[in-house]
Amino acid sequence: MKDYYKILGVNKDASEEEIKKAFRKLAHKYHPDKGGDEKKFKEINEAYQVLSNKEKRAQYDKFGAGGFDFDSFGFGPFSSAPFDSAEGPFGEGIRFDFGGEFGDLGDIFDAFFEGMGIKQKRRTYQHGADIQIVQEITLEEAFHGAEKHINYRTAVKCEKCGGLGHDPKAGFNQCGVCAGRGEIKEARKSFFGNFIQIKSCHQCFGTGQIPKKICEICKGSGRITAERTVKLEIRPGIDNGQIIKIKGAGEAGERGAAEGDLYVRIRIKPHPVFKREGDNLIIKKDVNIIDLLLEKKIEIPTISGNPEGKQSSYGAGFLKVEVPSNFNLKNNLRIPGEGMPRFGGHGRGDLIVELEIKTPKKLSAKAKKILEELEKEL
């Protein structure tokens, strides 16, 4: 005897909601159109049809599957269940006729029809598409923040008709294709059998009416192709590859529908001096061994400048830093708070200096003597 509770993986005292939840999970897993086991899928559906119905479930609990009369409940192969009723078992928009092979499959279609691309509600207008573009900026602009004006060609709202695609004052005629209903029936075949799908009328776009006067500029679409300019605010600390969304700056929708969005991907140009890693900046600096021995301060370029407003040979501000005594020259010198701003946060990263030690190319006799004396001193 089949144990329907075991098939669905629920307890005998499971609630209707628990049974439905278990069924939908298994329906997703074993549905044939998704590569599942057809035999297992039918078994799961059979169990659900019984346990989801109070009368069927009571009879099953009393007599078991062996004494269960499926045909008396409209579940067998000669079922007369009202699949072609006015409302349809799956709500407004789609009606199905499966010949009774699987019984009432409303919950099955709730579980996976969206993944099959079939919509239960018609869409009258086409939403404007999203747009993605790339905006290149310098590392300095990423540091300080910037304001950019972006120009691009896209579908924009027709000014002549205000995006409607027609002149509403001229009036309308009833659509001859759908007879004013705004929807048409389309018969299709599927794994479950034949079904009739209710779709938006392609002639009137679901309105049931045909405008008497179509806009001569946009030819009824409500939009035209034109140049568009938007202002882009770039916040300090933005990273390479980050995306900024500008709502409503994408394509205009058809016949007054909503606009899409604009997604701007930031690309930061390579910098001749600094290399960025997260919020830190890395720079290579040549230093003279003699300067280090004499404890002279070394000049380090910074991206932010300095209070005195001086400029180094790198074209940026700089700091004068003293290398600490007993410093291991194999290590990098870290200057806290001189990196990039933390995007959306507080403070800045660090400036990491990779020291490259340079020795004199040739020493004079006098220089050698001085170094020898220095060696004795050390």
Side-chain angles (χ1 to χ4, degrees), residues 249-267:
E251 281 190 355
E254 292 184 343
R255 296 171 297 281
E259 299 91 347
D261 300 325
L262 175 65
Y263 293 87
V264 182
R265 184 182 295 274
I266 298 298
R267 180 184 294 162

Side-chain angles (χ1 to χ4, degrees), residues 10 27 39 47-48 88 146 149 221 224:
V10 297
K39 184 177 179 181
Y48 178 70
H149 288 84
S221 68
I224 59 172

Side-chain angles (χ1 to χ4, degrees), residues 171-182 201 203-204 207-212:
F172 302 86
N173 292 320
Q174 180 176 287
C175 177
V177 174
C178 65
R181 291 190 297 270
C201 176
Q203 186 68 26
C204 64
T207 64
Q209 297 177 317
I210 303 295
K212 291 182 178 181

Side-chain angles (χ1 to χ4, degrees), residues 51-288:
L51 299 185
S52 63
N53 183 287
K54 290 183 180 180
E55 188 178 353
K56 295 177 185 179
R57 184 176 180 180
Q59 185 174 350
Y60 171 75
D61 289 340
K62 187 175 182 180
F63 301 106
F68 195 87
D69 182 6
F70 291 99
D71 288 343
S72 65
F73 290 98
F75 188 66
F78 304 104
S79 168
S80 57
F83 291 113
D84 56 348
S85 60
E87 290 297 324
F90 310 114
E92 181 182 358
I94 302 179
R95 300 164 190 161
F96 304 88
D97 179 9
F98 299 101
E101 181 180 0
F102 292 96
D104 185 357
L105 299 182
D107 290 288
I108 298 178
F109 284 93
D110 285 343
F112 60 77
F113 249 31
E114 184 175 354
M116 295 172 65
I118 299 175
K119 306 294 183 181
Q120 291 192 4
K121 293 183 179 179
R122 67 175 187 266
R123 294 180 61 186
T124 303
Y125 304 113
Q126 183 178 337
H127 186 283
D130 295 335
I131 299 174
Q132 178 173 294
I133 61 176
V134 175
Q135 176 63 45
E136 199 170 55
I137 63 173
T138 64
L139 187 61
E140 284 81 4
E141 288 174 323
F143 177 84
H144 294 287
E147 181 180 295
K148 297 283 186 179
H149 288 84
I150 303 175
N151 300 315
Y152 55 100
R153 289 187 67 80
T154 185
V156 300
K157 184 184 293 186
C158 176
E159 294 183 0
K160 176 73 175 179
C161 61
L164 296 177
H166 61 270
D167 181 4
K169 295 180 180 179
F172 302 86
N173 292 320
Q174 180 176 287
C175 177
V177 174
C178 65
R181 291 190 297 270
E183 59 186 24
I184 57 175
K185 296 179 181 179
E186 184 178 87
R188 288 189 179 183
K189 292 183 179 181
S190 75
F191 167 78
F192 300 98
N194 298 327
F195 68 90
I196 297 175
Q197 183 180 4
I198 307 300
K199 298 183 62 177
S200 174
C201 176
H202 63 275
Q203 186 68 26
C204 64
F205 306 103
T207 64
Q209 297 177 317
I210 303 295
K212 291 182 178 181
K213 186 177 181 181
I214 298 295
C215 177
E216 67 273 11
I217 303 297
C218 65
K219 309 303 180 184
S221 68
R223 59 184 189 178
I224 59 172
T225 301
E227 192 84 10
R228 185 170 184 178
T229 302
V230 297
K231 184 172 72 173
L232 177 67
E233 297 286 348
I234 300 173
R235 296 169 58 188
I238 194 165
D239 205 349
N240 189 56
Q242 276 189 245
I243 295 177
I244 301 174
K245 175 183 176 181
I246 304 178
K247 189 173 179 60
E251 281 190 355
E254 292 184 343
R255 296 171 297 281
E259 299 91 347
D261 300 325
L262 175 65
Y263 293 87
V264 182
R265 184 182 295 274
I266 298 298
R267 180 184 294 162
I268 301 176
K269 298 177 184 178
H271 198 276
V273 177
F274 302 103
K275 178 183 176 183
R276 181 176 182 178
E277 286 188 0
D279 295 327
N280 297 329
L281 292 175
I282 300 173
I283 185 174
K284 291 183 178 181
K285 176 65 178 176
D286 293 341
V287 292
N288 190 303

Side-chain angles (χ1 to χ4, degrees), residues 283 285-287 296-302 311-314 316-321 353:
I283 185 174
K285 176 65 178 176
D286 293 341
V287 292
K296 288 185 177 181
K297 291 184 176 181
I298 58 176
E299 184 180 296
I300 306 296
T302 67
Q311 297 292 309
S312 70
S313 58
Y314 290 93
F318 65 91
L319 295 172
K320 286 192 174 183
V321 180
V353 184

